[in-house]
Amino acid sequence: MQRRPIIVVTGANGGVGFGICHRLLVQLAQRNPPDASPRLSSPDAHITHSDSPNLKYEPAASTGATVIMACRDRKRAERARGQLLALLDAHIAKLDARSADGVHARAFRENVEVEVMYLDLSLIRSVLEFGTELAQRYPYISHLICNAGVAAFSHLGWARFFKQLATAPISSVEHPCYNIQTRGVRSKDGLGWTWQCNVFGHYVLFRTVQPLLAAYSRTGSEPSPGPARVIWMSSIHASPVYEKDDWQLTDTDLAYESSKYQNDIIALELSSRALAHQKYTRNANGNGNAVVDGNDRAHQGAASEEEAEGEVLHYLVEPGITPTNFAALLLDQIPFGRFFMVLLFYIVRLLGSPHVLFSAYHAALAAVQAALSAPPLPNTLAAQDHHAMPKYGSQTDRWGYERLGVAETRESAKREGEGRALLQRCEDLYRTFLAEYQAGAEGEGSR
Ligand SMILES: NC(=O)c1ccc[n+]([C@@H]2O[C@H](COP(=O)([O-])OP(=O)(O)OC[C@H]3O[C@@H](n4cnc5c(N)ncnc54)[C@H](OP(=O)(O)O)[C@@H]3O)[C@@H](O)[C@H]2O)c1
């Protein structure tokens, strides 16, 4: 049986984040969770397992779990917590209490904790405080799911909408060009708001909980569920549509799409470093000599102390397109806006789009399968390609049967090296905020 998973989900009180928590609990309550054995809809020969082929993996069945809902509004989060537990209870109530599944699920339920913790990604101090409190309360974290996301939508561009609908109806849902965003919105910290909530806030969160992730990976025994996993929520909209110097995305009309691209290349860079570190350690352990190739050496140079502490698997996932509160500001400007959106989604799915899903539970498929798969889903590409990684997507066929899709993600050829530069900028800024936070904490302590 598995060590108790302790899973942090950001933006867990609604939309896809709520779906992730719901799906995690329902899956973990099963003796043989189907999400622990994902099957790719189109098996891709280029992706390979990065983990040790000799490691024995334990089944994903769990005797309990802790899910930490990291949310900015305590009231909304407490309400969502109640709904989650009610959904889990309803799921368990359907199982025959005398069957092996029923017995397992009821024992699991006795040992489930769903906690709400305050986290506002638009305020870095809150992210650092979150990390401090987490370290006081838990010995390790098994999964960090960086799900929360925002876009500074202002209004619908009707002319663009009708033109795209008439000329490319599927694209009008998959890649809408009519959701107009406000430029230059700043966070409470004075940084680009979309950038901070979607990119930097999650980077700081990852850095803050890195010792807890490493603690989980380090103490792994065999059979093992594998190292701790960090799951970065991307989008099929991710696109490098900003000037390279505008890295806080304050001078672009497409800050959302750009922030998701930045998430992709940060995950890619972190994953490359983790893999290089892993390979380096294995070589060193295998023959006493650390043998590294040129690519590895470059990454070794960049490895932080925390990276050396324990390996972490990074995954990129996207939830497809699903009705949530994400575009509420736009839809609520139109009478029956949400109704028309769902209608359009149905039409587009019937026309053959695999990306439209109608429930957050289904949209959570990719994140939850990346979290629970045993052995871990591959997170690298063949031929040790350090500059590309798979992006797993929640998909469906036109009749609504869900499936796991996969696409290749790489840095745009014109922007090579951007991931490394961006990571360095995030790291420098993180250290500045951390120093201020620590100085503030010391000041308070000496008062
Ligand atoms: N829905 C889609 O079709 C779609 C498509 C592609 C990618 N995604 C991605 O999926 C993720 C979830 O989106 P969603 O559709 O579920 O949107 P949603 O319904 O708007 O949920 C977003 C979640 O993020 C939280 N959040 C927003 N700002 C935050 C902050 N400053 N600090 C902490 N939490 C914050 C929200 O909290 P509040 O409730 O307090 O606002 C909410 O819980 C996002 O990363 C989004 O980019 C969604």
Side-chain angles (χ1 to χ4, degrees), residues 11-17 70-73 76 119-122 147-150 197 233-237 256 260 319-322 324-326:
N13 60 286
V16 178
C71 302
R72 64 176 168 174
D73 186 297
R76 279 199 287 267
L119 171 84
D120 184 350
L121 292 158
S122 70
N147 160 77
V150 297
C197 293
M233 185 58 75
S234 184
S235 165
I236 57 167
H237 301 145
Y256 174 69
K260 290 294 167 184
I321 314 278
T322 196
T324 62
N325 275 334
F326 197 71

PDB file of all heavy atoms in Angstrom, residues 11-17 70-73 76 119-122 147-150 197 233-237 256 260 319-322 324-326, ligand 1:
ATOM      1  N   GLY A  11      -6.260  26.935  -6.786  1.00  0.00           N
ATOM      2  CA  GLY A  11      -7.526  27.259  -7.463  1.00  0.00           C
ATOM      3  C   GLY A  11      -8.485  26.089  -7.397  1.00  0.00           C
ATOM      4  O   GLY A  11      -9.166  25.762  -8.378  1.00  0.00           O
ATOM      5  N   ALA A  12      -8.572  25.456  -6.193  1.00  0.00           N
ATOM      6  CA  ALA A  12      -9.326  24.202  -6.066  1.00  0.00           C
ATOM      7  C   ALA A  12     -10.806  24.419  -5.793  1.00  0.00           C
ATOM      8  O   ALA A  12     -11.580  23.473  -5.788  1.00  0.00           O
ATOM      9  CB  ALA A  12      -8.717  23.361  -4.939  1.00  0.00           C
ATOM     10  N   ASN A  13     -11.215  25.672  -5.584  1.00  0.00           N
ATOM     11  CA  ASN A  13     -12.601  25.886  -5.158  1.00  0.00           C
ATOM     12  C   ASN A  13     -13.600  25.922  -6.321  1.00  0.00           C
ATOM     13  O   ASN A  13     -14.806  25.956  -6.105  1.00  0.00           O
ATOM     14  CB  ASN A  13     -12.729  27.184  -4.356  1.00  0.00           C
ATOM     15  CG  ASN A  13     -12.309  28.391  -5.164  1.00  0.00           C
ATOM     16  OD1 ASN A  13     -11.133  28.590  -5.389  1.00  0.00           O
ATOM     17  ND2 ASN A  13     -13.265  29.176  -5.617  1.00  0.00           N
ATOM     18  N   GLY A  14     -13.100  25.926  -7.560  1.00  0.00           N
ATOM     19  CA  GLY A  14     -14.048  25.981  -8.672  1.00  0.00           C
ATOM     20  C   GLY A  14     -13.419  25.443  -9.944  1.00  0.00           C
ATOM     21  O   GLY A  14     -12.221  25.146  -9.992  1.00  0.00           O
ATOM     22  N   GLY A  15     -14.255  25.315 -10.976  1.00  0.00           N
ATOM     23  CA  GLY A  15     -13.779  24.955 -12.309  1.00  0.00           C
ATOM     24  C   GLY A  15     -12.922  23.692 -12.322  1.00  0.00           C
ATOM     25  O   GLY A  15     -13.204  22.701 -11.634  1.00  0.00           O
ATOM     26  N   VAL A  16     -11.876  23.742 -13.112  1.00  0.00           N
ATOM     27  CA  VAL A  16     -11.024  22.560 -13.324  1.00  0.00           C
ATOM     28  C   VAL A  16     -10.369  22.109 -12.009  1.00  0.00           C
ATOM     29  O   VAL A  16     -10.235  20.906 -11.747  1.00  0.00           O
ATOM     30  CB  VAL A  16      -9.945  22.863 -14.392  1.00  0.00           C
ATOM     31  CG1 VAL A  16      -9.035  21.660 -14.590  1.00  0.00           C
ATOM     32  CG2 VAL A  16     -10.594  23.261 -15.724  1.00  0.00           C
ATOM     33  N   GLY A  17      -9.986  23.081 -11.155  1.00  0.00           N
ATOM     34  CA  GLY A  17      -9.326  22.734  -9.883  1.00  0.00           C
ATOM     35  C   GLY A  17     -10.245  21.892  -9.009  1.00  0.00           C
ATOM     36  O   GLY A  17      -9.807  20.918  -8.377  1.00  0.00           O
ATOM     37  N   ALA A  70      -5.702  25.048  -2.088  1.00  0.00           N
ATOM     38  CA  ALA A  70      -4.989  26.319  -1.921  1.00  0.00           C
ATOM     39  C   ALA A  70      -5.780  27.401  -2.651  1.00  0.00           C
ATOM     40  O   ALA A  70      -5.760  27.459  -3.879  1.00  0.00           O
ATOM     41  CB  ALA A  70      -3.581  26.189  -2.484  1.00  0.00           C
ATOM     42  N   CYS A  71      -6.487  28.240  -1.877  1.00  0.00           N
ATOM     43  CA  CYS A  71      -7.471  29.158  -2.483  1.00  0.00           C
ATOM     44  C   CYS A  71      -7.362  30.559  -1.898  1.00  0.00           C
ATOM     45  O   CYS A  71      -6.930  30.736  -0.760  1.00  0.00           O
ATOM     46  CB  CYS A  71      -8.883  28.636  -2.219  1.00  0.00           C
ATOM     47  SG  CYS A  71      -9.162  26.972  -2.862  1.00  0.00           S
ATOM     48  N   ARG A  72      -7.817  31.544  -2.681  1.00  0.00           N
ATOM     49  CA  ARG A  72      -7.700  32.934  -2.216  1.00  0.00           C
ATOM     50  C   ARG A  72      -8.935  33.408  -1.454  1.00  0.00           C
ATOM     51  O   ARG A  72      -8.898  34.467  -0.837  1.00  0.00           O
ATOM     52  CB  ARG A  72      -7.454  33.856  -3.396  1.00  0.00           C
ATOM     53  CG  ARG A  72      -8.586  33.911  -4.393  1.00  0.00           C
ATOM     54  CD  ARG A  72      -8.316  34.922  -5.474  1.00  0.00           C
ATOM     55  NE  ARG A  72      -9.272  34.778  -6.568  1.00  0.00           N
ATOM     56  CZ  ARG A  72      -9.353  35.588  -7.594  1.00  0.00           C
ATOM     57  NH1 ARG A  72      -8.510  36.605  -7.671  1.00  0.00           N
ATOM     58  NH2 ARG A  72     -10.230  35.405  -8.542  1.00  0.00           N
ATOM     59  N   ASP A  73     -10.032  32.661  -1.524  1.00  0.00           N
ATOM     60  CA  ASP A  73     -11.256  33.064  -0.837  1.00  0.00           C
ATOM     61  C   ASP A  73     -11.733  31.920   0.058  1.00  0.00           C
ATOM     62  O   ASP A  73     -12.205  30.895  -0.431  1.00  0.00           O
ATOM     63  CB  ASP A  73     -12.333  33.423  -1.873  1.00  0.00           C
ATOM     64  CG  ASP A  73     -13.582  33.977  -1.216  1.00  0.00           C
ATOM     65  OD1 ASP A  73     -14.238  33.242  -0.440  1.00  0.00           O
ATOM     66  OD2 ASP A  73     -13.908  35.148  -1.474  1.00  0.00           O
ATOM     67  N   ARG A  76     -15.532  30.702  -0.236  1.00  0.00           N
ATOM     68  CA  ARG A  76     -15.803  29.884  -1.433  1.00  0.00           C
ATOM     69  C   ARG A  76     -15.144  28.515  -1.289  1.00  0.00           C
ATOM     70  O   ARG A  76     -15.701  27.491  -1.676  1.00  0.00           O
ATOM     71  CB  ARG A  76     -15.235  30.582  -2.684  1.00  0.00           C
ATOM     72  CG  ARG A  76     -16.127  31.675  -3.223  1.00  0.00           C
ATOM     73  CD  ARG A  76     -15.772  32.000  -4.673  1.00  0.00           C
ATOM     74  NE  ARG A  76     -14.539  32.734  -4.818  1.00  0.00           N
ATOM     75  CZ  ARG A  76     -14.434  34.048  -4.869  1.00  0.00           C
ATOM     76  NH1 ARG A  76     -15.517  34.784  -4.775  1.00  0.00           N
ATOM     77  NH2 ARG A  76     -13.270  34.640  -5.027  1.00  0.00           N
ATOM     78  N   LEU A 119      -4.213  31.040  -0.113  1.00  0.00           N
ATOM     79  CA  LEU A 119      -3.123  31.316  -1.054  1.00  0.00           C
ATOM     80  C   LEU A 119      -3.632  32.316  -2.088  1.00  0.00           C
ATOM     81  O   LEU A 119      -4.608  32.044  -2.800  1.00  0.00           O
ATOM     82  CB  LEU A 119      -2.697  30.029  -1.772  1.00  0.00           C
ATOM     83  CG  LEU A 119      -1.719  30.236  -2.933  1.00  0.00           C
ATOM     84  CD1 LEU A 119      -0.278  30.329  -2.424  1.00  0.00           C
ATOM     85  CD2 LEU A 119      -1.809  29.096  -3.937  1.00  0.00           C
ATOM     86  N   ASP A 120      -2.984  33.471  -2.170  1.00  0.00           N
ATOM     87  CA  ASP A 120      -3.325  34.433  -3.217  1.00  0.00           C
ATOM     88  C   ASP A 120      -2.088  34.625  -4.092  1.00  0.00           C
ATOM     89  O   ASP A 120      -1.096  35.220  -3.657  1.00  0.00           O
ATOM     90  CB  ASP A 120      -3.764  35.768  -2.594  1.00  0.00           C
ATOM     91  CG  ASP A 120      -4.214  36.753  -3.666  1.00  0.00           C
ATOM     92  OD1 ASP A 120      -4.005  36.487  -4.867  1.00  0.00           O
ATOM     93  OD2 ASP A 120      -4.778  37.795  -3.293  1.00  0.00           O
ATOM     94  N   LEU A 121      -2.161  34.089  -5.301  1.00  0.00           N
ATOM     95  CA  LEU A 121      -0.986  34.121  -6.190  1.00  0.00           C
ATOM     96  C   LEU A 121      -0.640  35.544  -6.626  1.00  0.00           C
ATOM     97  O   LEU A 121       0.475  35.791  -7.084  1.00  0.00           O
ATOM     98  CB  LEU A 121      -1.251  33.246  -7.421  1.00  0.00           C
ATOM     99  CG  LEU A 121      -1.343  31.750  -7.126  1.00  0.00           C
ATOM    100  CD1 LEU A 121      -2.104  31.030  -8.227  1.00  0.00           C
ATOM    101  CD2 LEU A 121       0.034  31.133  -6.955  1.00  0.00           C
ATOM    102  N   SER A 122      -1.592  36.467  -6.484  1.00  0.00           N
ATOM    103  CA  SER A 122      -1.301  37.843  -6.901  1.00  0.00           C
ATOM    104  C   SER A 122      -0.597  38.618  -5.792  1.00  0.00           C
ATOM    105  O   SER A 122      -0.364  39.818  -5.917  1.00  0.00           O
ATOM    106  CB  SER A 122      -2.591  38.557  -7.318  1.00  0.00           C
ATOM    107  OG  SER A 122      -3.392  38.790  -6.185  1.00  0.00           O
ATOM    108  N   ASN A 147      -2.728  24.738 -10.789  1.00  0.00           N
ATOM    109  CA  ASN A 147      -3.895  24.838 -11.667  1.00  0.00           C
ATOM    110  C   ASN A 147      -4.462  26.249 -11.819  1.00  0.00           C
ATOM    111  O   ASN A 147      -4.915  26.619 -12.901  1.00  0.00           O
ATOM    112  CB  ASN A 147      -4.995  23.899 -11.122  1.00  0.00           C
ATOM    113  CG  ASN A 147      -6.364  24.269 -11.651  1.00  0.00           C
ATOM    114  OD1 ASN A 147      -6.695  23.971 -12.808  1.00  0.00           O
ATOM    115  ND2 ASN A 147      -7.162  24.966 -10.841  1.00  0.00           N
ATOM    116  N   ALA A 148      -4.465  27.045 -10.737  1.00  0.00           N
ATOM    117  CA  ALA A 148      -5.178  28.342 -10.769  1.00  0.00           C
ATOM    118  C   ALA A 148      -4.721  29.167 -11.966  1.00  0.00           C
ATOM    119  O   ALA A 148      -3.558  29.090 -12.378  1.00  0.00           O
ATOM    120  CB  ALA A 148      -4.930  29.109  -9.474  1.00  0.00           C
ATOM    121  N   GLY A 149      -5.638  29.946 -12.520  1.00  0.00           N
ATOM    122  CA  GLY A 149      -5.260  30.772 -13.665  1.00  0.00           C
ATOM    123  C   GLY A 149      -6.245  31.903 -13.866  1.00  0.00           C
ATOM    124  O   GLY A 149      -7.404  31.814 -13.442  1.00  0.00           O
ATOM    125  N   VAL A 150      -5.761  32.980 -14.476  1.00  0.00           N
ATOM    126  CA  VAL A 150      -6.612  34.155 -14.735  1.00  0.00           C
ATOM    127  C   VAL A 150      -6.330  34.696 -16.130  1.00  0.00           C
ATOM    128  O   VAL A 150      -5.298  34.389 -16.739  1.00  0.00           O
ATOM    129  CB  VAL A 150      -6.325  35.290 -13.718  1.00  0.00           C
ATOM    130  CG1 VAL A 150      -6.658  34.881 -12.297  1.00  0.00           C
ATOM    131  CG2 VAL A 150      -4.874  35.768 -13.821  1.00  0.00           C
ATOM    132  N   CYS A 197      -0.043  35.762 -11.597  1.00  0.00           N
ATOM    133  CA  CYS A 197      -0.967  34.690 -11.163  1.00  0.00           C
ATOM    134  C   CYS A 197      -0.678  33.374 -11.894  1.00  0.00           C
ATOM    135  O   CYS A 197      -0.716  32.301 -11.296  1.00  0.00           O
ATOM    136  CB  CYS A 197      -2.417  35.091 -11.427  1.00  0.00           C
ATOM    137  SG  CYS A 197      -2.950  36.468 -10.408  1.00  0.00           S
ATOM    138  N   MET A 233      -0.412  23.491 -15.229  1.00  0.00           N
ATOM    139  CA  MET A 233      -1.612  23.568 -16.063  1.00  0.00           C
ATOM    140  C   MET A 233      -1.369  24.506 -17.237  1.00  0.00           C
ATOM    141  O   MET A 233      -1.140  25.698 -17.061  1.00  0.00           O
ATOM    142  CB  MET A 233      -2.785  24.075 -15.224  1.00  0.00           C
ATOM    143  CG  MET A 233      -4.099  24.079 -15.971  1.00  0.00           C
ATOM    144  SD  MET A 233      -4.582  22.440 -16.594  1.00  0.00           S
ATOM    145  CE  MET A 233      -5.121  21.625 -15.084  1.00  0.00           C
ATOM    146  N   SER A 234      -1.424  23.939 -18.422  1.00  0.00           N
ATOM    147  CA  SER A 234      -1.230  24.737 -19.625  1.00  0.00           C
ATOM    148  C   SER A 234      -2.580  24.886 -20.335  1.00  0.00           C
ATOM    149  O   SER A 234      -3.640  24.801 -19.714  1.00  0.00           O
ATOM    150  CB  SER A 234      -0.200  24.053 -20.523  1.00  0.00           C
ATOM    151  OG  SER A 234       0.059  24.851 -21.636  1.00  0.00           O
ATOM    152  N   SER A 235      -2.519  25.091 -21.626  1.00  0.00           N
ATOM    153  CA  SER A 235      -3.749  25.297 -22.393  1.00  0.00           C
ATOM    154  C   SER A 235      -3.428  25.007 -23.849  1.00  0.00           C
ATOM    155  O   SER A 235      -2.271  25.152 -24.276  1.00  0.00           O
ATOM    156  CB  SER A 235      -4.176  26.753 -22.231  1.00  0.00           C
ATOM    157  OG  SER A 235      -5.148  27.081 -23.199  1.00  0.00           O
ATOM    158  N   ILE A 236      -4.470  24.665 -24.629  1.00  0.00           N
ATOM    159  CA  ILE A 236      -4.194  24.534 -26.063  1.00  0.00           C
ATOM    160  C   ILE A 236      -3.993  25.922 -26.682  1.00  0.00           C
ATOM    161  O   ILE A 236      -3.598  26.048 -27.820  1.00  0.00           O
ATOM    162  CB  ILE A 236      -5.287  23.742 -26.842  1.00  0.00           C
ATOM    163  CG1 ILE A 236      -6.656  24.378 -26.679  1.00  0.00           C
ATOM    164  CG2 ILE A 236      -5.318  22.286 -26.445  1.00  0.00           C
ATOM    165  CD1 ILE A 236      -7.679  23.813 -27.666  1.00  0.00           C
ATOM    166  N   HIS A 237      -4.260  26.979 -25.888  1.00  0.00           N
ATOM    167  CA  HIS A 237      -4.065  28.348 -26.388  1.00  0.00           C
ATOM    168  C   HIS A 237      -2.640  28.848 -26.224  1.00  0.00           C
ATOM    169  O   HIS A 237      -2.331  29.961 -26.651  1.00  0.00           O
ATOM    170  CB  HIS A 237      -4.971  29.329 -25.631  1.00  0.00           C
ATOM    171  CG  HIS A 237      -6.422  29.014 -25.739  1.00  0.00           C
ATOM    172  ND1 HIS A 237      -7.313  29.224 -24.720  1.00  0.00           N
ATOM    173  CD2 HIS A 237      -7.127  28.477 -26.754  1.00  0.00           C
ATOM    174  CE1 HIS A 237      -8.510  28.839 -25.097  1.00  0.00           C
ATOM    175  NE2 HIS A 237      -8.427  28.368 -26.321  1.00  0.00           N
ATOM    176  N   TYR A 256      -2.677  36.234 -21.666  1.00  0.00           N
ATOM    177  CA  TYR A 256      -3.076  34.901 -21.222  1.00  0.00           C
ATOM    178  C   TYR A 256      -2.359  33.814 -22.042  1.00  0.00           C
ATOM    179  O   TYR A 256      -1.703  32.923 -21.480  1.00  0.00           O
ATOM    180  CB  TYR A 256      -4.596  34.728 -21.305  1.00  0.00           C
ATOM    181  CG  TYR A 256      -5.016  33.314 -20.989  1.00  0.00           C
ATOM    182  CD1 TYR A 256      -4.891  32.819 -19.690  1.00  0.00           C
ATOM    183  CD2 TYR A 256      -5.493  32.457 -21.978  1.00  0.00           C
ATOM    184  CE1 TYR A 256      -5.227  31.506 -19.395  1.00  0.00           C
ATOM    185  CE2 TYR A 256      -5.849  31.152 -21.685  1.00  0.00           C
ATOM    186  CZ  TYR A 256      -5.709  30.673 -20.399  1.00  0.00           C
ATOM    187  OH  TYR A 256      -6.031  29.363 -20.103  1.00  0.00           O
ATOM    188  N   LYS A 260       0.660  31.120 -20.734  1.00  0.00           N
ATOM    189  CA  LYS A 260       0.601  29.657 -20.805  1.00  0.00           C
ATOM    190  C   LYS A 260       1.823  29.117 -21.561  1.00  0.00           C
ATOM    191  O   LYS A 260       2.356  28.064 -21.221  1.00  0.00           O
ATOM    192  CB  LYS A 260      -0.714  29.208 -21.471  1.00  0.00           C
ATOM    193  CG  LYS A 260      -1.925  29.459 -20.588  1.00  0.00           C
ATOM    194  CD  LYS A 260      -1.890  28.596 -19.335  1.00  0.00           C
ATOM    195  CE  LYS A 260      -2.866  29.000 -18.273  1.00  0.00           C
ATOM    196  NZ  LYS A 260      -2.767  28.237 -17.038  1.00  0.00           N
ATOM    197  N   PRO A 319      -6.459  21.063 -19.922  1.00  0.00           N
ATOM    198  CA  PRO A 319      -7.768  20.464 -19.628  1.00  0.00           C
ATOM    199  C   PRO A 319      -8.730  20.452 -20.800  1.00  0.00           C
ATOM    200  O   PRO A 319      -9.928  20.185 -20.602  1.00  0.00           O
ATOM    201  CB  PRO A 319      -8.303  21.392 -18.530  1.00  0.00           C
ATOM    202  CG  PRO A 319      -7.736  22.731 -18.886  1.00  0.00           C
ATOM    203  CD  PRO A 319      -6.412  22.494 -19.566  1.00  0.00           C
ATOM    204  N   GLY A 320      -8.257  20.768 -22.001  1.00  0.00           N
ATOM    205  CA  GLY A 320      -9.193  20.938 -23.113  1.00  0.00           C
ATOM    206  C   GLY A 320      -9.941  22.254 -22.929  1.00  0.00           C
ATOM    207  O   GLY A 320      -9.432  23.185 -22.299  1.00  0.00           O
ATOM    208  N   ILE A 321     -11.152  22.309 -23.472  1.00  0.00           N
ATOM    209  CA  ILE A 321     -11.988  23.502 -23.326  1.00  0.00           C
ATOM    210  C   ILE A 321     -13.227  23.078 -22.560  1.00  0.00           C
ATOM    211  O   ILE A 321     -13.919  22.146 -22.981  1.00  0.00           O
ATOM    212  CB  ILE A 321     -12.468  24.037 -24.700  1.00  0.00           C
ATOM    213  CG1 ILE A 321     -11.342  24.085 -25.718  1.00  0.00           C
ATOM    214  CG2 ILE A 321     -13.191  25.364 -24.558  1.00  0.00           C
ATOM    215  CD1 ILE A 321     -10.461  25.260 -25.641  1.00  0.00           C
ATOM    216  N   THR A 322     -13.511  23.754 -21.463  1.00  0.00           N
ATOM    217  CA  THR A 322     -14.642  23.328 -20.648  1.00  0.00           C
ATOM    218  C   THR A 322     -15.326  24.542 -20.016  1.00  0.00           C
ATOM    219  O   THR A 322     -14.655  25.511 -19.679  1.00  0.00           O
ATOM    220  CB  THR A 322     -14.154  22.301 -19.591  1.00  0.00           C
ATOM    221  OG1 THR A 322     -15.258  21.628 -19.051  1.00  0.00           O
ATOM    222  CG2 THR A 322     -13.357  22.942 -18.483  1.00  0.00           C
ATOM    223  N   THR A 324     -16.425  26.859 -17.434  1.00  0.00           N
ATOM    224  CA  THR A 324     -16.136  27.146 -16.019  1.00  0.00           C
ATOM    225  C   THR A 324     -16.415  28.638 -15.821  1.00  0.00           C
ATOM    226  O   THR A 324     -17.000  29.278 -16.683  1.00  0.00           O
ATOM    227  CB  THR A 324     -14.653  26.864 -15.692  1.00  0.00           C
ATOM    228  OG1 THR A 324     -13.852  27.746 -16.500  1.00  0.00           O
ATOM    229  CG2 THR A 324     -14.249  25.431 -15.949  1.00  0.00           C
ATOM    230  N   ASN A 325     -15.906  29.172 -14.726  1.00  0.00           N
ATOM    231  CA  ASN A 325     -16.076  30.614 -14.506  1.00  0.00           C
ATOM    232  C   ASN A 325     -15.004  31.437 -15.204  1.00  0.00           C
ATOM    233  O   ASN A 325     -14.940  32.647 -15.025  1.00  0.00           O
ATOM    234  CB  ASN A 325     -16.000  30.918 -13.001  1.00  0.00           C
ATOM    235  CG  ASN A 325     -17.353  30.712 -12.368  1.00  0.00           C
ATOM    236  OD1 ASN A 325     -18.377  30.836 -13.048  1.00  0.00           O
ATOM    237  ND2 ASN A 325     -17.362  30.381 -11.097  1.00  0.00           N
ATOM    238  N   PHE A 326     -14.146  30.768 -15.963  1.00  0.00           N
ATOM    239  CA  PHE A 326     -12.971  31.448 -16.497  1.00  0.00           C
ATOM    240  C   PHE A 326     -13.342  32.668 -17.348  1.00  0.00           C
ATOM    241  O   PHE A 326     -12.759  33.730 -17.212  1.00  0.00           O
ATOM    242  CB  PHE A 326     -12.133  30.459 -17.327  1.00  0.00           C
ATOM    243  CG  PHE A 326     -10.744  30.955 -17.544  1.00  0.00           C
ATOM    244  CD1 PHE A 326      -9.847  30.990 -16.494  1.00  0.00           C
ATOM    245  CD2 PHE A 326     -10.335  31.411 -18.782  1.00  0.00           C
ATOM    246  CE1 PHE A 326      -8.561  31.472 -16.665  1.00  0.00           C
ATOM    247  CE2 PHE A 326      -9.052  31.890 -18.969  1.00  0.00           C
ATOM    248  CZ  PHE A 326      -8.170  31.917 -17.909  1.00  0.00           C
TER     249      PHE A 326
HETATM  250  N1  LIG B   1     -11.760  26.216 -18.738  1.00  0.00           N
HETATM  251  C1  LIG B   1     -11.066  26.050 -19.832  1.00  0.00           C
HETATM  252  O1  LIG B   1     -11.620  25.859 -20.935  1.00  0.00           O
HETATM  253  C2  LIG B   1      -9.563  26.072 -19.805  1.00  0.00           C
HETATM  254  C3  LIG B   1      -8.875  25.861 -20.998  1.00  0.00           C
HETATM  255  C4  LIG B   1      -7.491  25.839 -20.986  1.00  0.00           C
HETATM  256  C5  LIG B   1      -6.812  26.023 -19.789  1.00  0.00           C
HETATM  257  N2  LIG B   1      -7.511  26.251 -18.641  1.00  0.00           N
HETATM  258  C6  LIG B   1      -6.727  26.457 -17.418  1.00  0.00           C
HETATM  259  O2  LIG B   1      -7.291  25.711 -16.354  1.00  0.00           O
HETATM  260  C7  LIG B   1      -7.000  26.372 -15.116  1.00  0.00           C
HETATM  261  C8  LIG B   1      -8.278  26.498 -14.310  1.00  0.00           C
HETATM  262  O3  LIG B   1      -9.172  27.333 -15.033  1.00  0.00           O
HETATM  263  P1  LIG B   1     -10.754  27.226 -14.878  1.00  0.00           P
HETATM  264  O4  LIG B   1     -11.309  27.101 -16.238  1.00  0.00           O
HETATM  265  O5  LIG B   1     -11.108  26.231 -13.861  1.00  0.00           O
HETATM  266  O6  LIG B   1     -11.081  28.707 -14.369  1.00  0.00           O
HETATM  267  P2  LIG B   1     -11.947  29.218 -13.128  1.00  0.00           P
HETATM  268  O7  LIG B   1     -13.236  28.508 -13.062  1.00  0.00           O
HETATM  269  O8  LIG B   1     -11.953  30.700 -13.276  1.00  0.00           O
HETATM  270  O9  LIG B   1     -11.060  28.811 -11.877  1.00  0.00           O
HETATM  271  C9  LIG B   1      -9.843  29.448 -11.625  1.00  0.00           C
HETATM  272  C10 LIG B   1      -9.417  29.144 -10.218  1.00  0.00           C
HETATM  273  O10 LIG B   1      -8.214  29.900  -9.969  1.00  0.00           O
HETATM  274  C11 LIG B   1      -8.414  30.647  -8.782  1.00  0.00           C
HETATM  275  N3  LIG B   1      -7.633  31.876  -8.756  1.00  0.00           N
HETATM  276  C12 LIG B   1      -7.755  32.960  -9.546  1.00  0.00           C
HETATM  277  N4  LIG B   1      -6.883  33.917  -9.168  1.00  0.00           N
HETATM  278  C13 LIG B   1      -6.215  33.431  -8.108  1.00  0.00           C
HETATM  279  C14 LIG B   1      -5.214  33.957  -7.258  1.00  0.00           C
HETATM  280  N5  LIG B   1      -4.741  35.193  -7.394  1.00  0.00           N
HETATM  281  N6  LIG B   1      -4.743  33.188  -6.258  1.00  0.00           N
HETATM  282  C15 LIG B   1      -5.228  31.938  -6.066  1.00  0.00           C
HETATM  283  N7  LIG B   1      -6.193  31.390  -6.821  1.00  0.00           N
HETATM  284  C16 LIG B   1      -6.684  32.135  -7.830  1.00  0.00           C
HETATM  285  C17 LIG B   1      -9.905  30.956  -8.767  1.00  0.00           C
HETATM  286  O11 LIG B   1     -10.309  31.368  -7.480  1.00  0.00           O
HETATM  287  P3  LIG B   1     -11.647  32.271  -7.273  1.00  0.00           P
HETATM  288  O12 LIG B   1     -12.804  31.339  -7.349  1.00  0.00           O
HETATM  289  O13 LIG B   1     -11.440  32.851  -5.919  1.00  0.00           O
HETATM  290  O14 LIG B   1     -11.661  33.288  -8.369  1.00  0.00           O
HETATM  291  C18 LIG B   1     -10.461  29.613  -9.189  1.00  0.00           C
HETATM  292  O15 LIG B   1     -10.471  28.723  -8.107  1.00  0.00           O
HETATM  293  C19 LIG B   1      -6.382  27.717 -15.478  1.00  0.00           C
HETATM  294  O16 LIG B   1      -4.986  27.632 -15.344  1.00  0.00           O
HETATM  295  C20 LIG B   1      -6.756  27.905 -16.936  1.00  0.00           C
HETATM  296  O17 LIG B   1      -5.816  28.677 -17.626  1.00  0.00           O
HETATM  297  C21 LIG B   1      -8.873  26.278 -18.611  1.00  0.00           C
END
